[in-house]
Amino acid sequence: MNTITVSLTTPDGVNQTYSSVRMLTFGTSAGYETVMANHVPVIAVLGIEVMRLTFADYSIKQVFVNDGVLEFKDSAAIIVAQTSEDQDKIDLVRAQAAKERAESRLSNDEFDQKRAEVALKKAMTRIKTVTGL
């Protein structure tokens, strides 16, 4: 079976490589896309999204990705993102508290509404990364 390698780098020092990936699903402004080995080259802008890796043994790992770029060619994906977190590294209680704070700020005109919207999207995406909901 042909597999791909996924390399993920962030400015804060996260350097992660995932081997034996069967499928990589990632979100873009146009929706979700999936690539497999020997897929045509792709360059995509990533937003605040859940990235899903399905491995050769059919196990799945979800990764929170915040703003980045993905290049896929020659059965390898290179991703540079502002931040990223594996699902097992996300503190669900903290993400839920961040969601509540952001919702509270959205209902209060004293706070920067755009910033609160981004904080809410990040919190909800982290929750989705962990729970799948």
Side-chain angles (χ1 to χ4, degrees):
M1 171 192 313
N2 292 330
T3 60
I4 63 176
T5 301
V6 178
S7 300
L8 178 66
T9 302
T10 66
D12 59 354
V14 172
N15 293 304
Q16 193 74 13
T17 300
Y18 305 95
S19 303
S20 300
V21 176
R22 181 180 172 86
M23 290 188 301
L24 172 65
T25 302
F26 53 93
T28 70
S29 61
Y32 279 91
E33 293 187 38
T34 298
V35 294
M36 298 174 73
N38 303 314
H39 194 283
V40 297
V42 174
I43 294 178
V45 176
L46 307 175
I48 301 169
E49 299 291 345
V50 178
M51 185 173 66
R52 179 183 217 141
L53 298 100
T54 304
F55 294 92
D57 65 359
Y58 295 96
S59 63
I60 295 172
K61 176 181 280 281
Q62 297 197 133
V63 179
F64 167 82
V65 177
N66 173 28
D67 295 335
V69 177
L70 174 142
E71 177 186 26
F72 182 84
K73 69 177 182 179
D74 300 327
S75 294
I78 298 171
I79 301 162
V80 179
Q82 272 304 105
T83 58
S84 75
E85 296 171 74
D86 280 356
Q87 69 188 84
D88 55 347
K89 303 286 188 216
I90 295 172
D91 182 340
L92 185 57
V93 172
R94 185 174 173 206
Q96 289 169 330
K99 178 181 177 267
E100 290 171 11
R101 275 193 312 276
E103 288 172 335
S104 173
R105 289 178 177 166
L106 277 172
S107 64
N108 185 339
D109 289 337
E110 292 179 21
F111 290 98
D112 181 348
Q113 296 298 295
K114 183 66 176 165
R115 187 171 170 191
E117 288 172 9
V118 171
L120 179 61
K121 177 138 175 85
K122 285 181 182 179
M124 290 175 62
T125 304
R126 281 188 173 99
I127 292 167
K128 182 178 176 183
T129 301
V130 174
T131 65
L133 303 174

